[in-house]
Amino acid sequence: MSAASHLGTYAEGWTKGDADTILSAASKGFTFDDPNAGKIPASGFAEYLAGMKEEVKGMRGGSLPEPFMELSEVVTSEADGVLTAWCWWSVAGTGIQGSGLIKVSSDGVRSEVITYYAKPAG
């Protein structure tokens, strides 16, 4: 499967909030780096996403948005067999939003590092 196909499946998983779909696009050594949760290996990702969904439910009065996550401003660049993607993401009905940096190769999504958008304290 091509890196672009893996990236498409990965994005679909996030819009649905489906860990199985996300992980089906992941490479063997996949890591997800969230500044609030640390670096999460594939083996701990489903638990991470379940926790995130519980937080979202709490913020939304017990419901999850449809779609779960909206992705926009996607920019990609390919070099030396690695597809790098940047995107803006948000969870509807919450203040949760930020940016992601994703690395993908023909064996799947290798990693994602996310940041959160927040107003400076002041």
Side-chain angles (χ1 to χ4, degrees):
M1 187 181 270
S2 72
S5 294
H6 287 301
L7 181 62
T9 299
Y10 186 76
E12 176 187 349
W14 276 108
T15 61
K16 293 179 178 179
D18 180 34
D20 289 338
T21 302
I22 292 167
L23 290 170
S24 75
S27 70
K28 185 176 179 180
F30 171 77
T31 58
F32 186 83
D33 196 345
D34 177 328
N36 294 325
K39 192 175 275 190
I40 301 149
S43 62
F45 184 80
E47 182 179 346
Y48 163 82
L49 186 57
M52 181 183 186
K53 289 165 89 172
E54 286 304 312
E55 283 188 46
V56 168
K57 282 181 183 178
M59 296 172 89
R60 293 177 42 89
S63 68
L64 289 173
E66 286 289 331
F68 175 70
M69 189 173 283
E70 296 175 354
L71 306 174
S72 63
E73 307 301 325
V74 178
V75 177
T76 61
S77 175
E78 191 165 357
D80 300 323
V82 176
L83 179 66
T84 300
W86 300 267
C87 70
W88 189 258
W89 57 267
S90 62
V91 179
T94 73
I96 303 173
Q97 60 182 320
S99 182
L101 174 64
I102 306 159
K103 298 285 187 172
V104 191
S105 63
S106 61
D107 66 338
V109 177
R110 293 180 178 180
S111 65
E112 180 171 8
V113 177
I114 65 167
T115 62
Y116 291 95
Y117 172 79
K119 293 181 182 176

